[in-house]
Amino acid sequence: MPEFMDKEPEPETKMPNLMKVGEIPVDMEIDCDTSILDPVVNGNNFCRFVLENKGFLHSNSKITLGVDKAGEQTFPVNIGVHSLIERCALKIGTHTISETDDFNHLMAYKSMFIPQDRNIERETYLTSRIMNHEFQYVNDDVGLDFGTSASFVGLGTYLNPEGNDAGDGGDLPSQPEIRTGFKPVFQVSIADLFPMLQDVSFPLYLCDEQISIELHFTSDTSNRRCVFDTNETADESYPIDTTQTKLIADYIYYPNDEMVAYANANPKIEYTFKDYRLNKRTFTQAQLLTEQNFDVGGAGRVCTKVITGLENVTANGDTEVTVGYKSVAPAVSNQNNGRFITNLMYNDQRLYPIDRENGAVHFNDVARAEGVPPHVLRQEYNKEGSILSPDFTYMGRDLSSSTAGLNGFAHWIVYALNRNERINSNGIRLQTKYTKALTGTFIHRSYLELVKTATLENGRFRTQYA
């Protein structure tokens, strides 16, 4: 080609975002490697894993857990094996990058949005979550044990209840594959533990510092690990089976020249993610029945939503099918439902011009905040109706009970802060009042969903609030 003629431009090559979980070019070479890592610290109350700084860590990597206990005990029906984890922390070097307190209670909220068919078909065997409803058929007076009359709903586990002689009730046993006596091993996803890893394949090979995952387990003396069958003994110990505590880490590799090119093209990687901060306080029944105004934090932060729940503290959580991981609805007396009246104040303004007090509106607020409705019955959310039968029990527990069962167990309240404003120095303030409440002591939890920014530069990873 003569020198005076212009050369054809070289084709432009675009470096794909290797961190993003999703589609990749069909001609891209990719290799996967799975390592099963033992914890460097392994005990009944705490464990720590150290990751290998290689490749990209896939967000679907799992941590396996189990308990060493003979008998017919199971994990809570709504959150499964997540009941074992009270606090989780991701550390890079000497910095805590992400951590969540009362993680098991937060999972009680997040588990409401899992479709029921997924629970029974998949989560039963992965996490021991079995929340699935089915109609309960009772005797239709034509000589059949169970007929065509289905006025009630109960848990559906593909097992038949052990019916009584009248055919109008029975007890549903737990599935053998989830009983602790058969030594099942379940999984917890690291994407559930740490929101910063959701939808991201983390580039471990670009980090020069040690990366560790720490899990603080629920106290074995708190009766908050498992639920026992009524033919078992209460107040038992449920020790962690330390031989089954493993990290199944999935590493993704691309051709070496592409990984080097990606590192050169991205000397500084930045992205945002959501993290949760917990505010917790104790109330008595008398305090709940009067208007309460209290701060929950968030000053100077960008907060997208506030998730709140109320726990009715009981001494024997292992007598409940949820093992206490729930948010209780207002009480019912004389067939009249109590109301929960609430509002939220931030930046010197109320979130709602009129206080929220209708149960259906509360449910709608949750659905709008998450983009999908919770998969729970209205009796389970706000104690409305009587679709849960006291005659059809699960593991000997009355599912229509407000303590041992599922009556009003999913009354979570969500406030979506939709003005896209940074919280001023006064922080976020909640206003609450119950017109009727159960007796006892209560713990109110507020999870603030805060926006954080992550930066990976020169082998060092740092986070800060947006």
Side-chain angles (χ1 to χ4, degrees):
M1 180 182 294
E3 294 181 0
F4 62 85
M5 294 183 63
D6 294 333
K7 295 182 178 180
E8 295 181 2
E10 296 181 358
E12 181 181 355
T13 59
K14 183 179 180 181
M15 174 59 62
N17 186 357
L18 302 181
M19 287 182 58
K20 184 178 180 180
V21 176
E23 297 180 354
I24 61 173
V26 294
D27 58 347
M28 175 174 286
E29 182 181 348
I30 185 173
D31 188 22
C32 298
D33 175 44
T34 299
S35 297
I36 301 179
L37 306 178
D38 291 315
V40 295
V41 180
N42 193 7
N44 190 40
N45 297 309
F46 174 80
C47 75
R48 178 189 292 120
F49 296 94
V50 175
L51 298 174
E52 300 173 277
N53 294 40
K54 62 180 185 181
F56 290 81
L57 178 67
H58 198 277
S59 59
N60 281 337
S61 299
K62 311 288 187 181
I63 294 177
T64 61
L65 297 170
V67 296
D68 185 11
K69 180 67 177 178
E72 298 183 4
Q73 300 86 354
T74 66
F75 291 108
V77 298
N78 56 333
I79 66 172
V81 73
H82 298 95
S83 66
L84 296 180
I85 303 175
E86 183 175 28
R87 179 176 177 269
C88 55
L90 175 65
K91 297 184 177 181
I92 300 181
T94 58
H95 295 263
T96 299
I97 303 302
S98 178
E99 63 178 339
T100 303
D101 290 311
D102 284 1
F103 169 80
N104 37 25
H105 287 274
L106 180 61
M107 287 306 297
Y109 168 76
K110 290 185 173 294
S111 297
M112 293 195 305
F113 302 97
I114 300 177
Q116 296 188 19
D117 57 342
R118 177 180 167 183
N119 272 334
I120 192 62
E121 298 285 355
R122 179 178 174 85
E123 295 297 322
T124 296
Y125 310 100
L126 292 181
T127 64
S128 191
R129 288 182 282 201
I130 64 167
M131 280 299 296
N132 177 55
H133 298 98
E134 69 178 11
F135 290 109
Q136 302 291 349
Y137 292 91
V138 299
N139 195 326
D140 58 1
D141 296 326
V142 293
L144 300 177
D145 290 337
F146 290 95
T148 57
S149 175
S151 301
F152 300 103
V153 168
L155 287 178
T157 63
Y158 294 165
L159 296 181
N160 292 322
E162 299 170 354
N164 57 23
D165 294 337
D168 57 358
D171 181 61
L172 180 67
S174 61
Q175 298 132 290
E177 55 267 26
I178 66 172
R179 297 173 186 170
T180 59
F182 289 92
K183 300 294 186 293
V185 179
F186 297 106
Q187 304 175 352
V188 175
S189 172
I190 62 171
D192 289 334
L193 292 170
F194 309 110
M196 65 161 287
L197 297 179
Q198 290 180 355
D199 303 321
V200 169
S201 293
F202 190 76
L204 296 174
Y205 79 105
L206 296 181
C207 290
D208 296 335
E209 300 173 296
Q210 176 179 287
I211 304 172
S212 60
I213 293 175
E214 295 183 353
L215 301 181
H216 298 257
F217 296 125
T218 306
S219 173
D220 195 15
T221 60
S222 64
N223 297 324
R224 288 301 179 91
R225 288 186 174 181
C226 295
V227 54
F228 70 94
D229 196 285
T230 50
N231 59 10
E232 301 284 338
T233 305
D235 300 324
E236 287 288 321
S237 174
Y238 305 97
I240 300 291
D241 188 351
T242 54
T243 63
Q244 300 294 344
T245 305
K246 310 283 184 181
L247 171 60
I248 305 176
D250 294 325
Y251 300 99
I252 300 175
Y253 300 93
Y254 300 93
N256 186 65
D257 55 345
E258 292 191 15
M259 295 181 69
V260 172
Y262 181 80
N264 294 334
N266 299 274
K268 183 178 181 179
I269 300 175
E270 291 183 305
Y271 67 97
T272 60
F273 64 94
K274 307 291 180 60
D275 205 11
Y276 295 95
R277 283 294 174 267
L278 171 66
N279 178 282
K280 184 166 63 173
R281 61 185 63 227
T282 302
F283 291 113
T284 63
Q285 181 195 35
Q287 290 174 321
L288 289 181
L289 296 175
T290 59
E291 182 175 305
Q292 299 293 320
N293 292 273
F294 52 94
D295 297 319
V296 295
R301 313 301 187 197
V302 178
C303 181
T304 56
K305 71 179 69 164
V306 180
I307 304 167
T308 67
L310 185 71
E311 176 196 357
N312 188 9
V313 181
T314 56
N316 301 104
D318 57 355
T319 63
E320 308 171 23
V321 295
T322 62
V323 196
Y325 298 108
K326 59 184 179 181
S327 178
V328 296
V332 178
S333 62
N334 299 323
Q335 297 184 346
N336 292 319
N337 287 75
R339 292 174 292 119
F340 175 61
I341 307 170
T342 186
N343 211 325
L344 180 144
M345 286 75 72
Y346 75 105
N347 291 352
D348 305 319
Q349 297 184 50
R350 287 175 173 265
L351 178 62
Y352 308 118
I354 301 176
D355 293 347
R356 292 286 210 256
E357 60 177 281
N358 186 290
V361 175
H362 291 319
F363 186 91
N364 182 68
D365 287 339
V366 176
R368 289 174 61 89
E370 297 294 337
V372 60
H375 297 278
V376 295
L377 306 173
R378 68 188 184 113
Q379 183 178 356
E380 294 172 339
Y381 185 79
N382 205 46
K383 296 184 179 179
E384 295 179 350
S386 55
I387 196 69
L388 295 172
S389 172
D391 298 319
F392 286 93
T393 59
Y394 174 72
M395 295 177 64
R397 304 301 194 287
D398 178 5
L399 295 181
S400 67
S401 168
S402 297
T403 52
L406 301 176
N407 188 35
F409 86 101
H411 194 257
W412 293 88
I413 305 296
V414 180
Y415 310 84
L417 279 57
N418 51 17
R419 296 201 293 264
N420 196 26
E421 298 174 351
R422 184 178 298 275
I423 309 301
N424 63 19
S425 59
N426 293 328
I428 301 173
R429 192 170 183 82
L430 279 182
Q431 170 192 314
T432 65
K433 180 182 178 180
Y434 288 78
T435 60
K436 298 177 183 179
L438 299 172
T439 59
T441 303
F442 300 83
I443 296 179
H444 185 276
R445 291 178 175 85
S446 299
Y447 294 92
L448 277 64
E449 188 179 83
L450 305 177
V451 179
K452 297 184 75 174
T453 301
T455 303
L456 176 57
E457 185 178 16
N458 297 324
R460 296 182 179 274
F461 190 88
R462 297 293 181 265
T463 61
Q464 62 181 8
Y465 288 102

